[in-house]
Amino acid sequence: MILEGAARVLEEQGLAGYTTNAVAERAGVSVGSVYQYFPGKEALTAALVARETGLLIAAVQEAAEAATPELGLRRIVQAAVAHQMSRPRLALLLDREENRLQLDDNLDAVTRAISSAFLALLGHLEPRPPVEAETAAGDLFALVRGIVDAAGERGERASDALEPRVLRAVFGYLGLPAAMP
């Protein structure tokens, strides 16, 4: 309840209006209740970042269990795009706060989870990636994150336009035929 209140305040008021008082009011709790669970705004933000990236990690891990590696790659891209586009303002602000607060453990967890999902799929891919699988997994993570985050920074809101571009980049990097929706 408090985390969702925080998410809504960020979406509606941005960082300027993101205060513990505003979060408490939006969540329908006292400010004391907010401080009971979170010692400050930074801790609240860190918990919100963890919640949101946890959702992305779960979607990516599920995607990696697809019937074919190509379908798994497509689903990872879909998960990344959906994560950015379902709540675009929140995703953008949390990305910025994640960097500002130096939430390295969270960033590392996301990197490991998504790179591991790519690595698992690449192990079953024919033809093999053009470089060592670990390198390819890291490159694919960087490629997807870069395109998706840049789209968010530009204010893009159309996942149906973004997803095909990311898929072309991923499949092109791997030397696979273009995977269009």
Side-chain angles (χ1 to χ4, degrees):
M1 176 170 25
I2 294 172
L3 287 178
E4 187 54 32
R8 297 209 183 235
V9 168
L10 276 171
E11 287 174 313
E12 295 164 5
Q13 299 177 33
L15 291 170
Y18 181 60
T19 65
T20 51
N21 286 334
V23 169
E25 182 178 326
R26 187 69 167 95
V29 300
S30 71
V31 73
S33 293
V34 173
Y35 283 112
Q36 179 181 356
Y37 295 101
F38 307 100
K41 191 168 69 168
E42 286 77 16
L44 177 61
T45 304
L48 184 56
V49 166
R51 180 189 84 168
E52 293 299 310
T53 56
L55 295 171
L56 173 61
I57 289 169
V60 165
Q61 288 172 335
E62 183 179 325
E65 297 174 11
T68 67
E70 294 83 3
L71 181 58
L73 293 168
R74 174 187 298 275
R75 288 186 177 162
I76 288 174
V77 168
Q78 289 169 337
V81 169
H83 177 74
Q84 180 71 40
M85 297 297 168
S86 65
R87 297 178 86 172
R89 182 171 167 118
L90 179 63
L92 176 64
L93 291 172
L94 288 181
D95 280 349
R96 290 178 181 166
E97 286 298 279
E98 185 175 43
N99 288 321
R100 184 183 71 80
L101 296 173
Q102 298 180 336
L103 301 175
D104 295 336
D105 290 344
N106 187 70
L107 289 167
D108 291 345
V110 172
T111 302
R112 277 191 314 275
I114 296 175
S115 294
S116 293
F118 277 129
L119 188 59
L121 293 169
L122 294 175
H124 302 289
L125 190 65
E126 289 297 332
R128 293 285 192 212
V131 297
E132 182 183 346
E134 289 82 9
T135 300
D139 288 350
L140 290 172
F141 170 75
L143 189 129
V144 170
R145 180 178 182 191
I147 294 172
V148 170
D149 284 357
E153 287 283 338
R154 286 191 302 272
E156 287 188 40
R157 300 292 183 257
S159 58
D160 59 337
L162 177 58
E163 187 179 309
R165 295 195 325 259
V166 180
L167 285 170
R168 278 193 302 273
V170 166
F171 278 64
Y173 172 88
L174 293 170
L176 299 172
M180 301 316 307

